[in-house]
Structures are given as C-alpha cells and as structure tokens.
Amino acid sequence: MKKILIFISALICGTIYSQIKLPRLISDGMVLQRDIPVKIWGWSGPNEKIEVTFNTKKFQTEASKEGKWEITAPSQKAGGPYEITLTASNSILLKNILFGDVWLCSGQSNMELPMERVKDKYSDVIAKANNSEIRQFLVPDQYEFAKENTDLSSGEWKEANASNILNFSAVAYFFASEIYAKYKIPIGLINSALGGSPAESWLSADAIKKFPDYDAEYQKFKDGTLGAQIEANDRKISTDWYAEINRQDEGLKKNWSKADLDDVDWPLMKIPGYWSDYALEKTNGVVWFRKEVDLSNVKASTAKLILGRIVDADSVYVNGNFVGTTSYMYPPRKYAFDPKFLKEGKNEIAIRVINNSGKGGFVEDKPYQLILDKDSIDLKGEWKYKLGVKMAPLPPSTFIRWKPVGLYNSMIAPLKNYAIKGVLWYQGESSTKKPQEYAALMETLITSWRAEWKQGNFPFLYVQLTNFMEPKAEPAESNWAALRQQQKNTLTVPNTGMAVTIDLGEWNDIHPLNKYDVGKRLALQAEKIAYGEKNIVASGPLFKSAEKKGINWFYLFQILEAV
C-alpha cells in the first residue's frame, strides 16, 4: 500500500509539473507591443512540446530539460481583440488581447500615486473614464536580494473603467489618455513603482558594481538574514512605542473625544500650525485637539471633514463618534461620515494626533473644512489642545525594501521578456540626500535596462523634480536644485526626454495633485522622441551657455551707493 501511494503521489506531481505555466504578464487582457516580434514564454515539464495558435497560425517549440520555453511570432499591427491558444499536456486560452504600445512606468511615489488620491481634483475625468484600450498591469510591491525573480507573485491586466480607474497611476493614466487621443492605438501601462525608493534600488546586481559603496551594502543584505533581523527589531521597537503611548495617553483614559467633555481650561492654538510654536515646544507623543462648531441646519445628506495634512498620524471624532484615521503624514485627510452624527446647535470635533518625531501639527496652506452637501464651514482658526502623553522620539526605521538591487530583482527582472515601447520614470525625491551621483546612477540604470530588454535604445522619458518646500528670500544651496541639474545632465544619454515640472509642485506637499500636466508633458516628450513628431514643441527652452560682455555701469553704481 505504501508503494502504491508513493507511485500515485509521484504520478500526480509529474502531471502537475508537466503542465505549461505562463508568467503573470502573459494573461487575459494583456497589451502586447505592436510592430515587434511577439515573444510568449513560460515553463513546463522537461522537453515538453508546446504549440501556440494565434490568428489561424501555429507555432511550435520544445521546452528545455529545465522546463523553460519561449516562442517568437511575427510582429503585428495595432489592433484586436485577439485570442491565443497554448497547447501541451494541458491547454490555455488567452482572451481579449490587444496590440499597441506598452510603457513601463517606474520610480517612486509620484509615479505610484493612484487616481484615488486625486479623485476630488479630477472627478469629471474619473466619471468619464471608460476606455477598454487603455490598460494597466499593477506590479506588486515586493523586494528580493538573493536572486532575480522570473515571475511576479500577483497582478492582472485591468481596463480603464469605473471599476478600475482609481487604481491606475495618475501620471501614467493621463499620459496614456493623451497618447491615445492623438494616435488611437491601445496603450498598456506596466505600473512598477514604489514610494520612497532611491535610484539604486532599481539597479541590477551587475549594474550596481559600478558603485562600490552601494555594491557593498547590497552584499550585506544579499542572503536576507540581516534584513530580516533589522525588520524584526524595527517592528518590535515600533510596536512597543505605540503600545506605550496608548497605555499612557490621558486622552484615551479619560475619553477626550466625547462631546460633553469639560475642556474649559484647555489652551488655544491656531490651526493650521505646529505645536512647537506654542507651549508644548518640540514634544513628541500624543496631543488632542477640540473645536466647537455651531450648526443651525443639519439636514444635509452628505458630510465630510477635510483636514489638510497632519503630522504624523490622526484619529478623528465628531460628537464622540469615530469618523476616520490616517497612519502617516502624507495622505490628504478626507473623512466622509454619517450626517446623523451631527445635531442642531453645538457640535464637537476632536482630533487625536500622534507625532513620532520632528514637528507635530497641521500643515499650513491646506484646506480645513466641514462640508455639508455643497456648503462648507471653515475650520481654520483657534482650536483647544492638550497633551495626552509625552514620549521620546520613535527611533527611525531602516527601510530594507529600498536597499540596492532589491526592487530590480522583484519588480523589474520578471518583466524583461515583455516587449515595451519605452519607459516613463518619475523618481528623485529620495535621491536628494546625495544628488552629485544621480546622473551616473541614471545613466547606468538606463543603459543596463536597455541591454536587458535587448530592444536597442528605447525611449526613456522622465520627470524633473517639481518645486517643493518653502521658497527662500535669498539664494541658498539646495540639494533639490542640485538634483534637478543632475536630471538635466541625464539628457546626454541618447533617446531620453525630460518633462520640466518646476511650476507644478506645491511648497508644502511632496505629492502635488496636478498629475494631468505631468502626464501631458511626458506625452509631449513621447510624441517627439517615440513617435517622431518633428514639428512639436516638447518642452521649454533649456540653458545652453552664458557669456559676459562689458560692465553694466548703471547697476555697478547702484551697488556702490547701497554700500
């Protein structure tokens, strides 16, 4: 009996192993690159014969002894939908396939940022989004140091429609919309971006060797042991820190969120602003805020709190009812809630703010409102505040996922067989700590990716950093300005284009909401570089040179008089 069970088990395992398996990208709804030979690849049993049927034509191949196989079919014009059938010991039918232009969209959070985050600004665009020929494949956010992954753990092709649009990269979607409107060809977007990631995390193990310091750091994390230890330690420190503030917070103990709390002795602070400018100074921990709002009519059908941005985390209550929370500083605070929580007369809004390091408070020059249907009540001005608990700053975490090579192995390497039109890149904010090396990193990244794809110098289009942080009255050194210069220097790499966005940023937000113009400017670069439009103005003028001639005596005399 035991031998029979072993035989049956081996037979079942052998049958499963012999069946053909496709990578996640090769799936229903995919957009394949037009005008270039079509590569289909996957895995099966050793030496298995595979047949692919497409457009009435059949293509055959045989798997290697390791079970790897690929088939290359002739290039196709833009169009579809088509079906592809793969046959071996099993059969797979791929449906709703388009041929068009595929763009790899990578970088950090401003590329990753979805339409969900800008839905209020672009509500009309989102309401009308219904184009089955614009599709996105969202690559899962994962890292791997030990080896280059050959496939993705999840992901599927999604059409731009009401059900899916909020998960599309905003920059990539606006880019695709512009290109589609002009050329009427299907557009596939492979969204492989991760917030906070520096350029070196997107380099391969071979490419990183050009940068000895980064290569040495990669080697430390290569086997995964050190990273796992650091992450476990960071989790414990964070868990203990937050557990302690929840244990000690007087506001939780005494329910400072309730509507009828006696807060007559609480001091006042102007919001927006930071409590470091008040009696609390640079305190970390929990600070509670309360504001009374007098309402004469609460017959609204919808209610929403708009609370700008808060550093770092917040929990919000209306008349003692919890209405929303955000765990970190960057997202805009928008909390819809049941209007039944409101009443005629006096209403109390309470906010519990956790600040783990730096200056805690409410970001300036942002909206702070209570919106009832289409009416809004301004919440700026004086709020009562009180310290819940004072804590030592939370020690900073080590973001292992941003270490060199990790994102390349997990989020880029599995894509290399999939033909593309080019790359859209929006990254740089996380590289401003060491701007002087950025051009070299990007040249290496671009040339190595092109070598891996084996498609020649495909277009590589990128976004120059926007304006960010409070303007200075006098000239001063700036890592952001230095990195913008490095990005300009990257234009020396052939077939690259830069979308200038210095006018599209927000001084108080590293994630500016205007993603339409970013996408449009990338599209202009694409029209010139990728689509060969000769007469298009793809960007503004770029500095070439300066020459000093003579002396401006008028300004010299003004300077001397001032002295």
Side-chain angles (χ1 to χ4, degrees):
M1 176 63 73
K2 185 176 180 181
K3 289 181 179 179
I4 293 173
L5 290 173
I6 292 172
F7 172 76
I8 293 172
S9 177
L11 184 64
I12 292 171
C13 291
T15 302
I16 293 171
Y17 182 66
S18 66
Q19 293 186 346
I20 52 175
K21 176 180 178 294
L22 296 174
R24 294 276 183 176
L25 277 172
I26 306 295
S27 54
D28 290 346
M30 64 180 168
V31 181
L32 291 169
Q33 181 57 43
R34 62 174 177 145
D35 300 333
I36 193 170
V38 181
K39 182 185 290 187
I40 305 292
W41 76 97
W43 306 272
S44 69
N47 308 118
E48 183 159 12
K49 291 179 172 58
I50 295 101
E51 182 176 84
V52 174
T53 304
F54 168 67
N55 208 12
T56 72
K57 295 183 179 180
K58 296 182 184 295
F59 307 88
Q60 291 90 20
T61 191
E62 184 175 309
S64 69
K65 63 181 181 180
E66 292 82 18
K68 299 176 182 178
W69 59 267
E70 67 177 50
I71 288 176
T72 301
S75 63
Q76 302 291 320
K77 298 296 182 185
Y82 297 101
E83 293 183 349
I84 295 177
T85 302
L86 299 98
T87 306
S89 56
N90 61 319
S91 182
I92 298 175
L93 174 62
L94 300 176
K95 299 175 290 185
N96 190 21
I97 297 164
L98 300 179
F99 283 85
D101 285 342
V102 180
W103 289 89
L104 171 56
C105 311
S106 191
Q108 58 183 109
S109 53
N110 272 308
M111 177 61 79
E112 188 179 28
L113 191 138
M115 292 292 285
E116 165 73 31
R117 280 278 291 272
V118 295
K119 63 184 179 182
D120 290 342
K121 184 176 180 65
Y122 299 109
S123 56
D124 291 345
V125 173
I126 290 169
K128 296 174 183 176
N130 187 25
N131 189 337
S132 64
E133 296 199 335
I134 295 178
R135 301 178 181 182
Q136 175 183 263
F137 187 101
L138 182 59
V139 174
D141 293 341
Q142 295 176 338
Y143 65 89
E144 169 67 59
F145 296 111
K147 64 184 186 309
E148 291 188 11
N149 289 349
T150 57
D151 198 7
L152 304 167
S153 63
S154 63
E156 57 186 312
W157 287 95
K158 296 285 191 179
E159 298 178 359
N161 57 34
S163 300
N164 304 320
I165 188 62
L166 293 181
N167 291 320
F168 272 58
S169 158
V171 165
Y173 176 72
F174 286 125
F175 167 87
S177 298
E178 292 289 312
I179 296 298
Y180 184 86
K182 185 159 187 174
Y183 300 107
K184 297 296 188 295
I185 57 172
I187 301 294
L189 305 167
I190 301 176
N191 181 353
S192 183
L194 180 63
S197 56
E200 61 270 15
S201 61
W202 298 100
L203 287 176
S204 69
D206 285 338
I208 207 71
K209 291 176 183 176
K210 290 183 65 175
F211 305 91
D213 289 347
Y214 289 133
D215 186 41
E217 188 173 24
Y218 162 60
Q219 297 300 329
K220 289 194 301 184
F221 290 92
K222 189 173 180 179
D223 71 357
T225 304
L226 177 60
Q229 291 173 348
I230 292 173
E231 287 183 325
N233 186 59
D234 284 351
R235 279 195 300 271
K236 184 180 187 310
I237 290 172
S238 179
T239 299
D240 290 348
W241 193 89
Y242 282 100
E244 187 65 12
I245 64 170
N246 290 336
R247 188 180 69 82
Q248 293 193 32
D249 182 10
E250 290 296 314
L252 289 182
K253 293 177 183 178
K254 299 176 180 177
N255 193 17
W256 289 352
S257 64
K258 65 182 180 182
D260 58 352
L261 180 73
D262 182 6
D263 58 12
V264 67
D265 61 339
W266 287 28
L268 298 174
M269 169 180 158
K270 284 189 176 180
I271 290 179
Y274 298 90
W275 61 70
S276 60
D277 298 326
Y278 293 80
L280 292 181
E281 298 179 338
K282 293 183 178 179
T283 297
N284 302 121
V286 176
V287 180
W288 287 76
F289 294 84
R290 292 173 58 87
K291 188 174 184 66
E292 184 180 284
V293 179
D294 199 0
L295 299 177
S296 58
N297 183 2
V298 292
K299 295 179 181 180
S301 59
T302 62
K304 182 188 290 187
L305 277 170
I306 307 293
L307 296 174
R309 284 181 47 234
I310 300 174
V311 184
D312 292 291
D314 60 274
S315 297
V316 181
Y317 306 82
V318 173
N319 289 328
N321 300 285
F322 173 75
V323 299
T325 185
T326 304
S327 61
Y328 66 112
M329 73 171 79
Y330 290 117
R333 272 53 172 181
K334 299 177 182 179
Y335 301 129
F337 63 93
D338 192 333
K340 293 179 182 178
F341 292 166
L342 298 170
K343 60 185 179 181
E344 298 285 337
K346 295 179 180 180
N347 293 263
E348 286 289 339
I349 300 171
I351 307 175
R352 181 187 189 233
V353 179
I354 300 174
N355 173 244
N356 54 45
S357 63
K359 292 171 60 175
F362 299 77
V363 174
E364 297 170 318
D365 199 19
K366 291 285 183 181
Y368 294 84
Q369 300 169 320
L370 170 62
I371 299 178
L372 304 177
D373 290 339
K374 294 184 179 180
D375 296 326
S376 64
I377 299 168
D378 191 2
L379 298 179
K380 295 189 187 76
E382 292 185 335
W383 285 60
K384 294 182 176 181
Y385 73 97
K386 190 171 183 178
L387 180 66
V389 58
K390 183 175 182 178
M391 294 283 290
L394 175 65
S397 296
T398 300
F399 291 94
I400 306 299
R401 62 182 178 269
W402 297 339
K403 295 298 181 182
V405 181
L407 298 184
Y408 175 88
N409 280 351
S410 185
M411 299 178 68
I412 298 297
L415 317 177
K416 294 187 298 185
N417 278 333
Y418 203 87
I420 59 175
K421 181 72 171 179
V423 172
L424 306 180
W425 177 262
Y426 194 161
Q427 189 275 334
E429 297 91 340
S430 291
S431 297
T432 53
K433 296 182 183 70
K434 299 170 69 176
Q436 66 279 1
E437 66 185 15
Y438 191 74
L441 283 167
M442 287 310 300
E443 180 181 7
T444 302
L445 185 148
I446 295 166
T447 55
S448 64
W449 283 19
R450 286 172 173 171
E452 295 281 7
W453 256 267
K454 299 180 176 65
Q455 288 183 223
N457 291 344
F458 55 64
F460 192 101
L461 313 177
Y462 58 92
V463 181
Q464 191 183 42
L465 290 183
T466 64
N467 47 312
F468 175 58
M469 293 179 286
E470 194 167 1
K472 290 180 168 43
E474 298 292 334
E477 293 298 319
S478 165
N479 279 7
W480 277 61
L483 193 124
R484 289 190 197 98
Q485 180 61 41
Q486 292 281 305
Q487 290 177 312
K488 178 181 177 294
N489 295 346
T490 304
L491 289 173
T492 59
V493 180
N495 226 27
T496 56
M498 181 176 72
V500 177
T501 62
I502 192 69
D503 58 323
L504 302 182
E506 300 174 26
W507 74 268
N508 59 0
D509 203 328
I510 202 168
H511 303 122
L513 295 179
N514 186 350
K515 294 297 188 272
Y516 166 75
D517 283 307
V518 179
K520 182 177 181 180
R521 292 178 191 183
L522 282 170
L524 288 171
Q525 290 289 336
E527 289 171 28
K528 180 179 179 180
I529 296 171
Y531 297 98
E533 300 284 351
K534 302 297 183 184
N535 299 319
I536 194 169
V537 178
S539 76
L542 295 173
F543 174 77
K544 185 176 182 181
S545 64
E547 184 179 352
K548 180 180 178 181
K549 290 185 177 180
I551 298 174
N552 189 322
W553 294 103
F554 174 76
Y555 287 111
L556 180 59
F557 286 137
Q558 282 191 321
I559 293 170
L560 291 173
E561 287 177 3
V563 173

mmCIF file of all heavy atoms in Angstrom, residues 244-251 256 283-288 352-353 386-391:
data_model
loop_
_atom_site.group_PDB
_atom_site.id
_atom_site.type_symbol
_atom_site.label_atom_id
_atom_site.label_comp_id
_atom_site.label_asym_id
_atom_site.label_seq_id
_atom_site.Cartn_x
_atom_site.Cartn_y
_atom_site.Cartn_z
ATOM 1 N N GLU A 244 2.961 51.777 24.190
ATOM 2 C CA GLU A 244 3.209 52.616 25.360
ATOM 3 C C GLU A 244 2.407 53.913 25.311
ATOM 4 O O GLU A 244 1.849 54.339 26.342
ATOM 5 C CB GLU A 244 4.707 52.925 25.470
ATOM 6 C CG GLU A 244 5.112 53.650 26.741
ATOM 7 C CD GLU A 244 4.908 52.825 28.001
ATOM 8 O OE1 GLU A 244 4.661 51.597 27.893
ATOM 9 O OE2 GLU A 244 4.983 53.407 29.105
ATOM 10 N N ILE A 245 2.330 54.543 24.152
ATOM 11 C CA ILE A 245 1.542 55.787 24.095
ATOM 12 C C ILE A 245 0.059 55.491 24.295
ATOM 13 O O ILE A 245 -0.655 56.283 24.924
ATOM 14 C CB ILE A 245 1.761 56.585 22.782
ATOM 15 C CG1 ILE A 245 1.281 55.808 21.563
ATOM 16 C CG2 ILE A 245 3.186 57.023 22.604
ATOM 17 C CD1 ILE A 245 1.253 56.651 20.298
ATOM 18 N N ASN A 246 -0.417 54.356 23.783
ATOM 19 C CA ASN A 246 -1.822 54.008 24.000
ATOM 20 C C ASN A 246 -2.088 53.692 25.473
ATOM 21 O O ASN A 246 -3.173 53.962 25.989
ATOM 22 C CB ASN A 246 -2.219 52.812 23.143
ATOM 23 C CG ASN A 246 -2.266 53.170 21.664
ATOM 24 O OD1 ASN A 246 -2.450 54.325 21.296
ATOM 25 N ND2 ASN A 246 -2.091 52.166 20.806
ATOM 26 N N ARG A 247 -1.096 53.133 26.142
ATOM 27 C CA ARG A 247 -1.245 52.797 27.553
ATOM 28 C C ARG A 247 -1.244 54.046 28.429
ATOM 29 O O ARG A 247 -2.006 54.143 29.400
ATOM 30 C CB ARG A 247 -0.119 51.859 27.985
ATOM 31 C CG ARG A 247 -0.289 51.285 29.390
ATOM 32 C CD ARG A 247 0.865 50.369 29.756
ATOM 33 N NE ARG A 247 2.106 51.104 29.920
ATOM 34 C CZ ARG A 247 2.449 51.760 31.034
ATOM 35 N NH1 ARG A 247 1.615 51.785 32.059
ATOM 36 N NH2 ARG A 247 3.603 52.394 31.109
ATOM 37 N N GLN A 248 -0.409 55.044 28.054
ATOM 38 C CA GLN A 248 -0.232 56.213 28.912
ATOM 39 C C GLN A 248 -1.104 57.406 28.527
ATOM 40 O O GLN A 248 -1.243 58.345 29.319
ATOM 41 C CB GLN A 248 1.236 56.656 28.878
ATOM 42 C CG GLN A 248 2.207 55.687 29.508
ATOM 43 C CD GLN A 248 3.561 56.319 29.723
ATOM 44 O OE1 GLN A 248 3.684 57.528 29.967
ATOM 45 N NE2 GLN A 248 4.604 55.513 29.628
ATOM 46 N N ASP A 249 -1.664 57.409 27.342
ATOM 47 C CA ASP A 249 -2.397 58.578 26.847
ATOM 48 C C ASP A 249 -3.584 58.917 27.748
ATOM 49 O O ASP A 249 -4.544 58.149 27.858
ATOM 50 C CB ASP A 249 -2.868 58.300 25.413
ATOM 51 C CG ASP A 249 -3.604 59.484 24.804
ATOM 52 O OD1 ASP A 249 -3.592 60.581 25.406
ATOM 53 O OD2 ASP A 249 -4.181 59.310 23.709
ATOM 54 N N GLU A 250 -3.515 60.087 28.389
ATOM 55 C CA GLU A 250 -4.598 60.536 29.264
ATOM 56 C C GLU A 250 -5.898 60.736 28.484
ATOM 57 O O GLU A 250 -6.988 60.554 29.015
ATOM 58 C CB GLU A 250 -4.209 61.842 29.959
ATOM 59 C CG GLU A 250 -3.121 61.687 31.008
ATOM 60 C CD GLU A 250 -3.565 60.825 32.167
ATOM 61 O OE1 GLU A 250 -4.690 61.047 32.667
ATOM 62 O OE2 GLU A 250 -2.809 59.924 32.567
ATOM 63 N N GLY A 251 -5.762 61.109 27.213
ATOM 64 C CA GLY A 251 -6.952 61.326 26.396
ATOM 65 C C GLY A 251 -7.738 60.054 26.147
ATOM 66 O O GLY A 251 -8.975 60.089 26.094
ATOM 67 N N TRP A 256 -11.264 61.866 25.900
ATOM 68 C CA TRP A 256 -11.304 63.267 25.459
ATOM 69 C C TRP A 256 -12.000 63.460 24.114
ATOM 70 O O TRP A 256 -12.127 64.577 23.633
ATOM 71 C CB TRP A 256 -9.867 63.809 25.378
ATOM 72 C CG TRP A 256 -9.240 64.007 26.729
ATOM 73 C CD1 TRP A 256 -9.842 63.913 27.946
ATOM 74 C CD2 TRP A 256 -7.884 64.355 26.984
ATOM 75 N NE1 TRP A 256 -8.955 64.169 28.957
ATOM 76 C CE2 TRP A 256 -7.727 64.451 28.403
ATOM 77 C CE3 TRP A 256 -6.770 64.599 26.187
ATOM 78 C CZ2 TRP A 256 -6.522 64.777 29.003
ATOM 79 C CZ3 TRP A 256 -5.562 64.924 26.798
ATOM 80 C CH2 TRP A 256 -5.436 65.015 28.176
ATOM 81 N N THR A 283 7.563 68.673 21.377
ATOM 82 C CA THR A 283 7.102 67.494 22.100
ATOM 83 C C THR A 283 6.670 66.417 21.123
ATOM 84 O O THR A 283 5.949 66.680 20.158
ATOM 85 C CB THR A 283 5.919 67.860 23.017
ATOM 86 O OG1 THR A 283 6.371 68.794 24.003
ATOM 87 C CG2 THR A 283 5.343 66.633 23.710
ATOM 88 N N ASN A 284 7.096 65.190 21.387
ATOM 89 C CA ASN A 284 6.594 64.039 20.637
ATOM 90 C C ASN A 284 5.663 63.244 21.528
ATOM 91 O O ASN A 284 5.799 63.238 22.749
ATOM 92 C CB ASN A 284 7.743 63.144 20.163
ATOM 93 C CG ASN A 284 8.739 63.898 19.299
ATOM 94 O OD1 ASN A 284 9.916 63.982 19.621
ATOM 95 N ND2 ASN A 284 8.253 64.471 18.210
ATOM 96 N N GLY A 285 4.723 62.551 20.897
ATOM 97 C CA GLY A 285 3.744 61.781 21.647
ATOM 98 C C GLY A 285 2.361 62.018 21.107
ATOM 99 O O GLY A 285 2.147 61.983 19.893
ATOM 100 N N VAL A 286 1.392 62.293 21.996
ATOM 101 C CA VAL A 286 0.002 62.496 21.593
ATOM 102 C C VAL A 286 -0.482 63.856 22.072
ATOM 103 O O VAL A 286 -0.303 64.212 23.237
ATOM 104 C CB VAL A 286 -0.915 61.396 22.172
ATOM 105 C CG1 VAL A 286 -2.372 61.681 21.811
ATOM 106 C CG2 VAL A 286 -0.512 60.024 21.660
ATOM 107 N N VAL A 287 -1.080 64.599 21.157
ATOM 108 C CA VAL A 287 -1.737 65.861 21.502
ATOM 109 C C VAL A 287 -3.164 65.791 20.965
ATOM 110 O O VAL A 287 -3.389 65.387 19.822
ATOM 111 C CB VAL A 287 -1.008 67.073 20.909
ATOM 112 C CG1 VAL A 287 -1.726 68.369 21.293
ATOM 113 C CG2 VAL A 287 0.444 67.117 21.385
ATOM 114 N N TRP A 288 -4.112 66.163 21.825
ATOM 115 C CA TRP A 288 -5.528 66.175 21.441
ATOM 116 C C TRP A 288 -5.965 67.597 21.091
ATOM 117 O O TRP A 288 -5.507 68.570 21.708
ATOM 118 C CB TRP A 288 -6.388 65.647 22.581
ATOM 119 C CG TRP A 288 -6.288 64.170 22.786
ATOM 120 C CD1 TRP A 288 -5.260 63.494 23.375
ATOM 121 C CD2 TRP A 288 -7.243 63.190 22.396
ATOM 122 N NE1 TRP A 288 -5.521 62.139 23.384
ATOM 123 C CE2 TRP A 288 -6.746 61.919 22.787
ATOM 124 C CE3 TRP A 288 -8.487 63.238 21.765
ATOM 125 C CZ2 TRP A 288 -7.434 60.739 22.566
ATOM 126 C CZ3 TRP A 288 -9.183 62.057 21.548
ATOM 127 C CH2 TRP A 288 -8.652 60.822 21.939
ATOM 128 N N ARG A 352 -7.181 63.309 17.657
ATOM 129 C CA ARG A 352 -6.029 62.775 18.390
ATOM 130 C C ARG A 352 -4.861 62.689 17.415
ATOM 131 O O ARG A 352 -4.911 61.965 16.421
ATOM 132 C CB ARG A 352 -6.353 61.393 18.956
ATOM 133 C CG ARG A 352 -5.214 60.762 19.756
ATOM 134 C CD ARG A 352 -5.550 59.326 20.127
ATOM 135 N NE ARG A 352 -4.584 58.767 21.065
ATOM 136 C CZ ARG A 352 -3.932 57.618 20.875
ATOM 137 N NH1 ARG A 352 -4.130 56.911 19.768
ATOM 138 N NH2 ARG A 352 -3.085 57.173 21.780
ATOM 139 N N VAL A 353 -3.802 63.435 17.678
ATOM 140 C CA VAL A 353 -2.643 63.482 16.791
ATOM 141 C C VAL A 353 -1.458 62.793 17.462
ATOM 142 O O VAL A 353 -1.097 63.129 18.598
ATOM 143 C CB VAL A 353 -2.265 64.938 16.427
ATOM 144 C CG1 VAL A 353 -1.033 64.956 15.523
ATOM 145 C CG2 VAL A 353 -3.434 65.632 15.732
ATOM 146 N N LYS A 386 -4.500 69.833 24.185
ATOM 147 C CA LYS A 386 -3.959 69.357 25.448
ATOM 148 C C LYS A 386 -3.080 68.140 25.186
ATOM 149 O O LYS A 386 -3.416 67.283 24.363
ATOM 150 C CB LYS A 386 -5.089 68.986 26.415
ATOM 151 C CG LYS A 386 -4.604 68.719 27.840
ATOM 152 C CD LYS A 386 -5.776 68.585 28.793
ATOM 153 C CE LYS A 386 -5.291 68.398 30.232
ATOM 154 N NZ LYS A 386 -6.417 68.306 31.199
ATOM 155 N N LEU A 387 -1.975 68.077 25.909
ATOM 156 C CA LEU A 387 -1.046 66.964 25.786
ATOM 157 C C LEU A 387 -1.631 65.706 26.414
ATOM 158 O O LEU A 387 -2.041 65.713 27.563
ATOM 159 C CB LEU A 387 0.283 67.308 26.467
ATOM 160 C CG LEU A 387 1.380 66.227 26.437
ATOM 161 C CD1 LEU A 387 1.862 65.981 25.009
ATOM 162 C CD2 LEU A 387 2.558 66.635 27.332
ATOM 163 N N GLY A 388 -1.651 64.620 25.609
ATOM 164 C CA GLY A 388 -2.113 63.338 26.133
ATOM 165 C C GLY A 388 -0.995 62.550 26.778
ATOM 166 O O GLY A 388 -1.163 61.986 27.860
ATOM 167 N N VAL A 389 0.149 62.512 26.098
ATOM 168 C CA VAL A 389 1.315 61.847 26.663
ATOM 169 C C VAL A 389 2.544 62.348 25.917
ATOM 170 O O VAL A 389 2.506 62.567 24.702
ATOM 171 C CB VAL A 389 1.214 60.310 26.554
ATOM 172 C CG1 VAL A 389 1.056 59.844 25.113
ATOM 173 C CG2 VAL A 389 2.435 59.626 27.172
ATOM 174 N N LYS A 390 3.618 62.552 26.654
ATOM 175 C CA LYS A 390 4.888 62.947 26.055
ATOM 176 C C LYS A 390 5.788 61.728 25.959
ATOM 177 O O LYS A 390 5.924 60.962 26.898
ATOM 178 C CB LYS A 390 5.561 64.027 26.895
ATOM 179 C CG LYS A 390 6.856 64.554 26.310
ATOM 180 C CD LYS A 390 7.407 65.707 27.151
ATOM 181 C CE LYS A 390 8.685 66.255 26.531
ATOM 182 N NZ LYS A 390 9.217 67.408 27.308
ATOM 183 N N MET A 391 6.421 61.563 24.792
ATOM 184 C CA MET A 391 7.270 60.402 24.545
ATOM 185 C C MET A 391 8.607 60.851 23.957
ATOM 186 O O MET A 391 8.700 61.910 23.334
ATOM 187 C CB MET A 391 6.595 59.454 23.555
ATOM 188 C CG MET A 391 5.328 58.794 24.063
ATOM 189 S SD MET A 391 5.642 57.427 25.196
ATOM 190 C CE MET A 391 6.338 56.210 24.076
#
